[in-house]
Amino acid sequence: ANFIPHALDSVLNQTYKAVEILVLDDASTDNLAEVLKPYADKIKLLKFDENRGTIQAINQMAARAEGLFYVSLAADDTIEPQFLEKALAEFKADAWLEFVASQTDFIDEKGNTFSADHPFKTIPKAFNKTRDQWLAHMYYGNVYFGVGMYRTQTLKQVGGWGNHGVLTDYEMYLKLLQRENIKIIHENLTHTRIHDGNKSLLKPEEARKLRQTYHDAKIPYYQPRMKVIIATPF
């Protein structure tokens, strides 16, 4: 509830105005309903009767979305006013594209530039590559994309987001790369908020499972690599 007005305002202030805004209340326990009252005539509010998590929430909204394109925006992040316009221009320029994302920078709880060190900043930033380069690069790990725009029909064709925790987006990128290349706008049109409640910041026990999670997420998309064992007698 503390951050969602900033997210909604960033959407309402877009230079491209023909938008449908879906907000899903995932059984929140704060004053979200009160905070959303000023936006009642601007959004479509969906609710879960129990907390089902981010993956089910974004899949539910993608299933309900009526537009040709779908953007998943976290309640604590914001986008620049030109994001939608510039992303749509990329789709118009290339009819084969199925995913366009921007680069991102980082803000603090008050919306100011986050200048301190943080684990999020160690994840490689996204830059345009060929499809083969993307696949080779992402074999070894994720890339930090900003907010992305998808073709809504594509999301339905690939079955939406899978259940791989913090690597759910990573698996989606691999799904899309089996079909077509992806496009990055080399501008910080996304502002990712760093705060104490970030779900992507893993607890120690979750971090220890990350290597296995990577393995499970990528195994359907890469041919098994032959192991070569070199034994040196002495």
Side-chain angles (χ1 to χ4, degrees), residues 18 20 22 62 64-70 150-153 156:
E20 171 195 45
L22 302 176
R64 300 284 191 95
E66 296 179 6
L68 294 176
F69 300 94
Y70 178 83
Y150 305 81
R151 291 190 188 274
T152 309
Q153 184 62 32
K156 294 173 181 178

Side-chain angles (χ1 to χ4, degrees), residues 14 28 36 42 46 67 70 90 151 162 170 173 186 200 205:
Q14 290 293 300
S28 59
L36 290 177
K42 302 177 181 69
L46 312 175
Y70 178 83
E90 297 294 344
R151 291 190 188 274
Y170 169 75
Y173 307 147
H186 289 169
S200 297
E205 61 271 21

Side-chain angles (χ1 to χ4, degrees), residues 10 31 74 79 84 139 143 152-153 160 184 196 216 228:
S10 76
N31 62 326
I79 49 178
L84 294 179
Y139 181 87
V143 174
T152 309
Q153 184 62 32
I184 307 301
D196 292 340
D216 295 341
V228 178

Side-chain angles (χ1 to χ4, degrees), residues 38-194:
Y39 301 93
D41 61 339
K42 302 177 181 69
I43 66 174
K44 294 181 180 180
L45 182 60
L46 312 175
K47 292 185 179 182
F48 283 160
D49 53 0
E50 61 182 3
N51 181 263
R52 302 182 188 179
T54 302
I55 297 166
Q56 288 202 41
I58 58 177
N59 278 332
Q60 180 67 216
M61 287 187 284
R64 300 284 191 95
E66 296 179 6
L68 294 176
F69 300 94
Y70 178 83
V71 174
S72 179
L73 176 63
D76 48 1
D77 297 340
T78 63
I79 49 178
E80 281 290 302
Q82 301 84 16
F83 171 77
L84 294 179
E85 183 180 349
K86 290 187 175 183
L88 288 169
E90 297 294 344
F91 281 107
K92 185 176 181 179
D94 185 348
W96 293 99
L97 280 178
E98 296 181 324
F99 175 65
V100 175
S102 82
Q103 293 177 330
T104 187
D105 57 15
F106 299 95
I107 57 176
D108 62 19
E109 293 192 11
K110 296 181 179 180
N112 300 318
T113 299
F114 191 98
S115 55
D117 292 334
H118 192 275
F120 287 178
K121 292 186 174 183
T122 65
I123 304 173
K125 202 169 191 173
F127 290 93
N128 282 310
K129 299 175 176 62
T130 66
R131 181 173 168 273
D132 288 342
Q133 287 172 333
W134 274 119
L135 287 168
H137 183 92
M138 296 189 77
Y139 181 87
Y140 297 99
N142 207 358
V143 174
Y144 216 121
F145 293 85
V147 168
M149 179 182 286
Y150 305 81
R151 291 190 188 274
T152 309
Q153 184 62 32
T154 298
L155 292 176
K156 294 173 181 178
Q157 289 173 353
V158 302
W161 283 267
N163 191 23
H164 289 287
V166 296
L167 297 182
T168 296
D169 284 341
Y170 169 75
E171 188 209 12
M172 175 57 76
Y173 307 147
L174 294 179
K175 283 182 179 181
L176 296 175
L177 285 167
Q178 308 310 304
R179 298 160 59 99
E180 298 294 340
N181 198 14
I182 57 184
K183 178 73 175 184
I184 307 301
I185 301 172
H186 289 169
E187 298 179 61
N188 292 332
L189 301 179
T190 303
H191 308 299
T192 301
R193 196 182 304 269
I194 295 176

Side-chain angles (χ1 to χ4, degrees), residues 224-230:
R225 297 191 173 189
M226 183 182 297
K227 288 187 177 180
V228 178
I229 300 174
I230 300 176

Side-chain angles (χ1 to χ4, degrees), residues 192-223:
T192 301
R193 196 182 304 269
I194 295 176
H195 58 93
D196 292 340
N198 287 123
K199 291 186 177 180
S200 297
L201 192 59
L202 299 177
K203 297 177 182 179
E205 61 271 21
E206 295 170 328
R208 286 192 288 269
K209 300 176 183 177
L210 190 60
R211 185 175 180 181
Q212 183 63 46
T213 306
Y214 263 118
H215 175 270
D216 295 341
K218 73 184 180 183
I219 198 168
Y221 308 105
Y222 292 96
Q223 292 293 324

